[in-house]
Structure formats: structure tokens, C-alpha cells
Amino acid sequence: MSMPEHIDNERLEIQLLLEAVYRKYGYDFRNYACAHTKRRLEHRRAMEGLGDYSQMMHRLIHDEEFFDTVLLDLSINVTEMFRDPWFYKKVREAVVPHLCTYPFIKVWHAGCSAGQEVYSMAILLEEEGMRERVQIYATDFNEIVLQKAKDGIYPVDLIREYTTNYQKAGGTQSFSDYYTADYASVVMKRSLREQVLFSSHNLVTDGVFGEMNVIFCRNVLIYFNRELQNKVLKLFYDSLCPGGFLCLGSKETLMFSEIADKFEVIADREKIYRKKRM
Amino acid sequence: MSPHPKKYEAVVIGVSAGGLTALETILSALHASFSLPVLIVQHISPDAESYLPQHFATRCPLPVKEADDKEDIMARTIYFAPPDYHMMVELDRSISLSVERRVNFSRPSVDVLFETAAEAYGDGLIGIILTGANHDGAAGLARIKQLGGLTIVQAPETAQANAMPRAALEATQADHILTLKDIARQLNALEGAL
Ligand SMILES: C[S@@+](CC[C@H](N)C(=O)[O-])C[C@H]1O[C@@H](n2cnc3c(N)ncnc32)[C@H](O)[C@@H]1O
């Protein structure tokens, strides 16, 4: 294979840019999947009419607001309520019965984006009668989406899709019980938010979060390279109590990781794993 | 024999409406010894169960699978992008998936696959655009051409939906404009010349 020289130079520039972002702002994207990072940076560079990545780096260093924009570009925040309804159905069937045996449980949503996944789980746990016995921690490294998660306000035009998902996920009530709507948006019921603690946490640079019974980290690891995936999976291992559950995105797997043998597979398609008691 | 035998390393295919029959013609005609990996984006509904790998497993002499995140791209293997995920090629020739927003109204998007594969394989890549009723893949094919790869487009008049081949031909000067049968023949021949 041969590659024109300017492509190699571009790669070098991107590495230096990510290094600069890390040193200046503390956000470490150096081990994110390259193809993803490059596509997102390219998109922003073209939109801003910046000639090359060195120019973009200069702007990033001198303009904090520009960094916030790029941070949003790099942290893909796409999410929905009851995303992959069959996953939530499996959680109900295969995970909740174990959780019911504990007097109190802690659930961590790592990379929770704007919170849809968090409210989905809060609803599910309420329906399973666990409301009084659960503390949910919702974290993301992006403060802007985290604020949206805290607010729990979503555009009303998404509700039809969310409702369908909720029903497919085995919801037992009417989905409209869980929010109040005005003409443009819906607000999630206050009682759902009361069980949740929202806080900033960076999976790459921050440490163990606490001892959890369940960790959800769905559709976050795909943005990391293998080395970083391993590091973060180890962090999850260390943050789970023995017998605790780890739930990944539908195209993510523990199987290729260094800690694969420390978990048993509870549901293969749904990517639900359980930490073995050693 | 070609005066400049080229060593190709991978094939990418983008296809949309009418794809099932088009792919069947090509994949079933590949030699069992065809050794290049083939990465395919076929537009399908986001919540469709992914039936493509199973469908083609019995109709193609080569192993067919849905791509997993971070798996190494292996020779002699056909990969389909999973429904509702973009499929990208990393420089180390592994696959990474993404749920970033739709590109050309599509997830998976042909452009996303083609552009990242072009950067990973340079002139070692063969890019193919088949039938489809949209414009996805045009920019990606142009990028493959720009980085020295080989570009093939299904002859629009033979395509069930001709918008996608036409858009590709407008975006770049393809190296070959062929019928499905000839695309299969061409692939086998390129492989035979290795
Ligand atoms: C595609 S969303 C997934 C949302 C949700 N978990 C789901 O599956 O629907 C990925 C989220 O991961 C967050 N993220 C990316 N890198 C992170 C990091 N290093 N630490 C914490 N969160 C991160 C992004 O901000 C984004 O909100």
C-alpha cells in the first residue's frame, strides 16, 4: 500500500492536536478510535474553514469556546429512551430478580449522555417495586449533556418513538404516566429524578467510582481503541461488587478483553455480564 | 497480463435499494479462493434484525459475518455493517463501529465506510457502487479514486435503481462501469493476477 505524503502529515498533525487538547484542557482523546476522531475533527475543520489541523490546534489552544464545540463533536451523544427494547426486557427478566434479593442497590450509568437511558432504568426499577431501594449514579464527561440529563426535558416529537420502545421493552403502565407535556417538550416526572445523582466523570482520566451492583456503559466503548477499552473494562471490574452486573452496548463485547474470564455471560445478544465471585 | 500488476488488499461495496439480488449475483460468483476481505454497507431499516449475514452464508462460498467492533479484518471474509451502526476501517485494519448521526440520511452510510477505508488502504483498495435510490457513496468513491484506489460502478442502465451509480459517476471518473456479472468476473480476475 502506498499513501500520499500529505495523509501521513495530516495524521501527525492530528496527534499533536489531541496532545495539545489533553495538556490544555485535560480531556484525553489520544486513545479514541482514530477513524472516528479524524471524521469528527474533519467535519469541524471544514465547517470553520480552517486550512489544516495545525491551524485548528492553534484555535483550540486560544479559544476555549471553540474547544467546547469540538468536545461536543467528539462525544457522540446520540441516545434514546429504552434504546434496544429487547435489552431492557432482558434486564427485567434476568437482572432484576437478582437485584430484588438485596436490601439496597447502586446502579451506575457511565456515559449517560442526555439521560434517556437513566430515566428508562429509573422507570423500570419503579415498576419492579425497587424505587425505595436504589441509588442511581449518572455520569458523563460532557457537562452540557449532563445538564440536559439533570433537567430531564426532551422534545415532544421524540415521545412517540420512546413510547413504542417502552412498550416493546415490556412496560407495564402507560408511558405518559412518567412525564408532563406542554406543546413543545416533555418533562420527566420529578420522582424519577429523585433517585438519581448526576455528576461529571471521565472514564479515561478518572478512577473507580464506587462499589456498584450494576454498571451500564452502552455505546461508549466503541469510540475507544482496544487498549483504552481494556483499561476502562478493568475500571468497571474494580467498581463492581462480586456478583454485580455489567451491561454493554449491543455491538460491544467483553470477549476480547483481558478480563473476559472474570465474568460470566448472562445474555449474549444483550451483552449482559456478571462478575464472578472469586 | 497487465503491465502493472497491482496488489489489492480489500474490497468495499456500497449498495441500497435492489441490493439483495445485486449482492447475490456478485457474492455467489466469487471464487472460493478469493482472498481479499470484502466490507459491505447495505442500507436496511435500523430496527431490522440483521438477516444479511445469514442470508448470504448459504449463497456465497466465503465466510460471511456481521462486523463486530474492534475486530481485525481477516482475509477471505465478507463483513456486513450492522443495522443502525456506521462501519469504519482503522489504520491498523480493524473495524470500528459508531452511532454518530446519520450521514446522507443513512446509518450505516457508504461514505463513512469508503472514506475511512480509503485512508487505511490507500491504493490497495477496490471500491464498488451498486444499485440504489440515493446519493450515498459518491463522495466516498471519489475519495478512493483520489487516494489511488480502483473504482468500479454498476452500469446505471443495468441497476434496479440508478440514482446511486449515477451520483457516483458524477462525483468521480470511475475506472470501470460494468454489469453485475462483469463486476464479479473482474474481481476474480484481479485476484487471479496476484
Ligand atoms: C453514544 S452516547 C451513549 C449514550 C447511552 N449510554 C446510550 O447507549 O444510549 C456516548 C456517551 O459517552 C460519553 N463519553 C465519551 N467519552 C467519555 C469519557 N471518556 N468519559 C465519560 N463519558 C464519555 C459521551 O459524552 C456520550 O454522551
Side-chain angles (χ1 to χ4, degrees):
Chain A
M1 175 199 76
S2 81
M3 191 64 80
E5 194 190 346
H6 74 272
I7 301 272
D8 286 330
N9 290 343
E10 206 172 72
R11 273 176 209 157
L12 176 61
E13 286 187 320
I14 290 177
Q15 283 166 3
L16 294 173
L17 179 153
L18 295 176
E19 184 68 34
V21 163
Y22 176 54
R23 295 230 210 135
K24 167 99 193 192
Y25 298 103
Y27 285 89
D28 188 356
F29 289 105
R30 294 172 302 175
N31 284 314
Y32 276 51
C34 295
H36 155 72
T37 323
K38 163 131 203 239
R39 277 192 67 79
R40 304 310 302 157
L41 292 176
E42 175 61 33
H43 163 79
R44 180 56 52 193
R45 194 185 64 72
M47 294 242 308
E48 305 286 328
L50 294 160
D52 56 32
Y53 291 104
S54 295
Q55 277 185 28
M56 189 168 176
M57 170 166 104
H58 187 269
R59 171 101 184 261
L60 272 167
I61 293 176
H62 295 280
D63 179 351
E64 292 200 15
E65 267 175 44
F66 183 55
F67 169 71
D68 288 338
T69 312
V70 171
L71 180 62
L72 270 177
D73 289 331
L74 289 174
S75 63
I76 306 297
N77 299 116
V78 178
T79 184
E80 59 190 66
M81 295 255 186
F82 295 96
R83 180 185 210 160
D84 308 323
W86 38 270
F87 164 77
Y88 284 91
K89 207 159 182 211
K90 197 65 164 191
V91 168
R92 233 183 247 268
E93 291 163 12
V95 178
V96 168
H98 295 282
L99 301 181
C100 286
T101 63
Y102 293 89
F104 194 80
I105 61 153
K106 291 185 188 173
V107 178
W108 178 20
H109 290 274
C112 69
S113 194
Q116 285 89 333
E117 185 183 64
V118 180
Y119 291 106
S120 308
M121 194 58 191
I123 290 170
L124 194 155
L125 289 170
E126 176 163 320
E127 292 182 358
E128 297 295 326
M130 306 229 5
R131 191 177 144 208
E132 314 290 319
R133 294 191 281 140
V134 57
Q135 174 67 55
I136 298 177
Y137 299 90
T139 67
D140 202 284
F141 76 160
N142 184 323
E143 308 266 358
I144 297 169
V145 294
L146 199 59
Q147 186 57 46
K148 289 192 186 163
K150 254 183 235 177
D151 296 340
I153 301 172
Y154 304 110
V156 79
D157 49 343
L158 296 176
I159 285 299
R160 185 196 294 259
E161 186 192 343
Y162 292 172
T163 306
T164 317
N165 280 356
Y166 166 78
Q167 286 159 351
K168 283 194 203 157
T172 59
Q173 309 292 310
S174 162
F175 190 56
S176 58
D177 292 350
Y178 297 109
Y179 59 81
T180 50
D182 63 33
Y183 69 100
S185 53
V186 306
V187 187
M188 299 313 292
K189 205 171 68 168
R190 182 182 304 270
S191 65
L192 293 172
R193 263 174 294 165
E194 278 165 1
Q195 331 159 40
V196 188
L197 214 86
F198 294 93
S199 67
S200 175
H201 183 275
N202 188 326
L203 290 165
V204 182
T205 46
D206 296 335
V208 170
F209 194 72
E211 190 165 72
M212 299 290 149
N213 299 86
V214 188
I215 297 176
F216 291 81
C217 185
R218 307 186 65 227
N219 302 302
V220 181
L221 292 179
I222 43 175
Y223 298 104
F224 300 169
N225 70 17
R226 263 179 266 190
E227 185 190 335
L228 187 53
Q229 287 190 348
N230 260 318
K231 182 180 150 190
V232 174
L233 285 169
K234 174 82 170 40
L235 172 75
F236 292 150
Y237 177 79
D238 291 338
S239 305
L240 275 174
C241 66
F245 294 87
L246 175 62
C247 303
L248 302 179
S250 63
K251 297 308 291 176
E252 294 162 335
T253 177
L254 263 189
M255 291 337 284
F256 310 131
S257 79
E258 286 155 14
I259 53 160
D261 59 338
K262 297 191 162 81
F263 284 84
E264 60 174 315
V265 181
I266 298 295
D268 191 33
R269 175 177 177 226
E270 291 81 2
K271 300 296 185 297
I272 303 177
Y273 304 93
R274 189 168 197 195
K275 178 171 166 173
K276 289 179 184 165
R277 296 167 198 275
M278 302 264 182
Chain B
M1 221 186 78
S2 140
H4 304 291
K6 241 182 168 183
K7 186 156 171 53
Y8 290 106
E9 296 181 275
V11 180
V12 289
I13 300 180
V15 57
S16 188
L20 221 53
T21 32
L23 283 173
E24 188 156 339
T25 309
I26 294 178
L27 297 184
S28 64
L30 290 179
H31 291 154
S33 63
F34 189 81
S35 74
L36 302 184
V38 181
L39 299 122
I40 304 176
V41 163
Q42 154 89 73
H43 293 151
I44 50 172
S45 144
D47 44 37
E49 280 268 341
S50 55
Y51 55 88
L52 292 167
Q54 293 88 312
H55 178 84
F56 285 106
T58 54
R59 292 168 172 81
C60 173
L62 298 160
V64 184
K65 74 182 297 285
E66 186 173 285
D68 279 309
D69 183 50
K70 297 297 165 315
E71 75 175 308
D72 287 320
I73 296 170
M74 308 287 281
R76 272 197 94 249
T77 309
I78 318 261
Y79 298 91
F80 277 95
D84 217 19
Y85 284 85
H86 291 301
M87 175 165 72
M88 300 182 289
V89 178
E90 295 290 338
L91 301 181
D92 66 0
R93 283 79 189 288
S94 63
I95 290 173
S96 56
L97 302 175
S98 161
V99 288
E100 87 177 67
R101 82 176 79 77
R102 287 155 191 261
V103 175
N104 307 317
F105 306 100
S106 314
R107 192 171 55 219
S109 144
V110 180
D111 276 342
V112 172
L113 170 65
F114 279 25
E115 286 167 10
T116 56
E119 305 238 330
Y121 289 107
D123 62 6
L125 185 66
I126 303 173
I128 306 176
I129 292 286
L130 305 176
T131 167
N134 54 63
H135 293 192
D136 194 18
L141 198 74
R143 185 71 174 151
I144 292 175
K145 174 91 182 175
Q146 191 187 28
L147 294 184
L150 184 77
T151 52
I152 302 177
V153 176
Q154 181 180 8
E157 65 279 8
T158 70
Q160 207 169 317
N162 65 24
M164 205 154 111
R166 274 190 202 290
L169 291 174
E170 268 165 40
T172 190
Q173 197 169 7
D175 296 305
H176 302 281
I177 304 171
L178 301 171
T179 64
L180 294 170
K181 284 222 166 66
D182 285 337
I183 291 174
R185 241 176 251 140
Q186 178 82 11
L187 286 175
N188 284 322
L190 285 167
E191 172 73 357
L194 289 183

